[in-house]
Amino acid sequence: MSTVNTVSPAYQRRPGLLHTILLAGSVPLFLGALASDIAYSQTYQIQWSNFASWLIAGGELFAGLALLCALVNLVRASHKSGAVLTYFVLLLVTWVLGLVNAFQHAKDAWAMMPTGLVLSAIVFLLICLTAWVGLQPRSGALK
């Protein structure tokens, strides 16, 4: 007498190509925003603050669309726990903090520092962690 245990995978397949591009594309945008904030803190040239604002807006757009894809994946997942839920929550937190960062950068260039720099660093670290979690192969994923 033998027993067979089957495990239902969290994802039936890896995240789609568009989802992957959106998630991976948000990483350099938030990195550019952090680099622009660092450049502004060193030079006080207001144009660096403008660059950071636009890069954050682009990162928010990409991360927001990736969040929409993650929501679809979460709804379609058979088990709504584990890596699928962790990835969705990380991406949601990243997007919300990115939005707060965008509001911080909407202030005058002098008023946004140093909070804008700190928020840019936190958002960049969060998007790196989110991309790492989101792009990991899942057990049972088709290769």
Side-chain angles (χ1 to χ4, degrees), residues 9-20 23 65-81 83-85 87-88 91 134-135 138:
Y11 279 131
Q12 297 300 325
R13 56 189 168 88
R14 289 183 181 166
L17 182 62
L18 177 63
H19 186 176
T20 303
L23 180 61
L65 292 172
L67 183 63
L68 183 63
C69 292
L71 179 63
V72 169
N73 282 343
L74 182 65
V75 169
R76 292 173 57 193
S78 57
H79 291 76
K80 295 171 181 33
S81 62
V84 178
L85 185 62
Y87 167 63
F88 178 77
L91 191 54
L135 298 177
R138 307 290 188 259

Side-chain angles (χ1 to χ4, degrees), residues 37 49-50 52-54 56 98-113 116:
D37 281 342
S49 170
N50 296 336
S53 295
W54 281 105
I56 290 167
L99 186 63
V100 170
N101 195 18
F103 290 149
Q104 182 68 26
H105 278 78
K107 294 179 180 179
D108 181 61
W110 287 95
M112 70 153 203
M113 290 306 251

Side-chain angles (χ1 to χ4, degrees), residues 6-73:
T6 59
V7 176
S8 178
Y11 279 131
Q12 297 300 325
R13 56 189 168 88
R14 289 183 181 166
L17 182 62
L18 177 63
H19 186 176
T20 303
I21 290 170
L22 291 170
L23 180 61
S26 62
V27 174
L29 290 168
F30 285 124
L31 173 62
L34 175 61
S36 295
D37 281 342
I38 291 171
Y40 176 73
S41 71
Q42 299 297 316
T43 64
Y44 298 108
Q45 295 291 323
I46 294 176
Q47 192 60 34
W48 289 115
S49 170
N50 296 336
F51 289 156
S53 295
W54 281 105
L55 288 165
I56 290 167
E60 282 291 289
L61 176 67
F62 275 48
L65 292 172
L67 183 63
L68 183 63
C69 292
L71 179 63
V72 169
N73 282 343

